[in-house]
């Protein structure tokens, strides 16, 4: 069974940092592009960052570019999201997503809450 387990969320002050982790199991990790999405009440689900199989290509939403960094460790089947200079508008549930286009694979984690507040 495919499982994506997010961790690292929590409460942080504006300007602070958090690192989210997503550990994947039940799939061949190197076959998947990995993504981080977020969703807050009253807002559409937003693609925050993505990274390809070999970490050759990284993409970011305009709202987080320059502040967030996505990375992956293929030996540990884990993708990370380093979040710096956090703002209250970054408050959301963050979801890990694994996608394999050739097979239409699409898997989601349960989400981890990030709250940015003073």
């Amino acid at each position: 069974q495919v499982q994506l387990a997010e961790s690292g969320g929590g409460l942080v002050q504006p300007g602070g940092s958090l690192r989210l982790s997503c550990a994947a199991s039940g799939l061949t990790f190197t076959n998947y592009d990995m993504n981080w999405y977020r969703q807050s009440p009253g807002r559409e689900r937003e693609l925050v960052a993505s990274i390809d199989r070999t970490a050759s290509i990284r993409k970011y939403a305009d709202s987080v570019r320059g502040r967030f960094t996505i990375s992956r460790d293929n030996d540990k089947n884990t993708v990370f999201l380093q979040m710096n200079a956090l703002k209250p508008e970054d408050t959301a549930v963050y979801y890990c997503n694994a996608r394999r286009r050739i097979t239409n694979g699409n898997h989601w984690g349960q989400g981890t809450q990030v709250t940015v507040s003073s």
Side-chain angles (χ1 to χ4, degrees):
Q1 310 87 34
V2 174
Q3 183 174 341
L4 302 178
E6 299 104 331
S7 62
L11 175 64
V12 65
Q13 295 182 354
S17 298
L18 284 174
R19 190 178 78 153
L20 306 183
S21 299
C22 172
S25 60
L27 53 75
T28 302
F29 189 68
T30 54
N31 285 340
Y32 286 81
D33 298 326
M34 301 298 297
N35 309 283
W36 286 98
Y37 288 79
R38 67 185 181 187
Q39 188 169 32
S40 58
R43 306 293 296 179
E44 298 290 325
R45 180 167 291 184
E46 175 187 22
L47 176 61
V48 176
S50 61
I51 187 168
D52 77 321
R53 295 169 57 192
T54 62
S56 297
I57 302 173
R58 297 175 172 87
K59 297 181 179 180
Y60 300 94
D62 289 342
S63 58
V64 308
R65 187 175 295 108
R67 299 187 297 119
F68 290 11
T69 302
I70 189 171
S71 61
R72 65 191 294 162
D73 185 340
N74 286 343
D75 291 332
K76 296 182 177 180
N77 288 3
T78 302
V79 63
F80 305 94
L81 185 67
Q82 178 67 44
M83 305 184 294
N84 298 326
L86 283 162
K87 304 175 180 179
E89 51 263 45
D90 295 318
T91 296
V93 178
Y94 284 71
Y95 297 92
C96 178
N97 169 259
R99 190 164 295 146
R100 187 182 182 190
R101 297 186 183 275
I102 295 297
T103 63
N104 201 33
N106 193 23
H107 306 286
W108 294 87
Q110 295 184 21
T112 184
Q113 176 71 46
V114 172
T115 302
V116 184
S117 176
S118 60

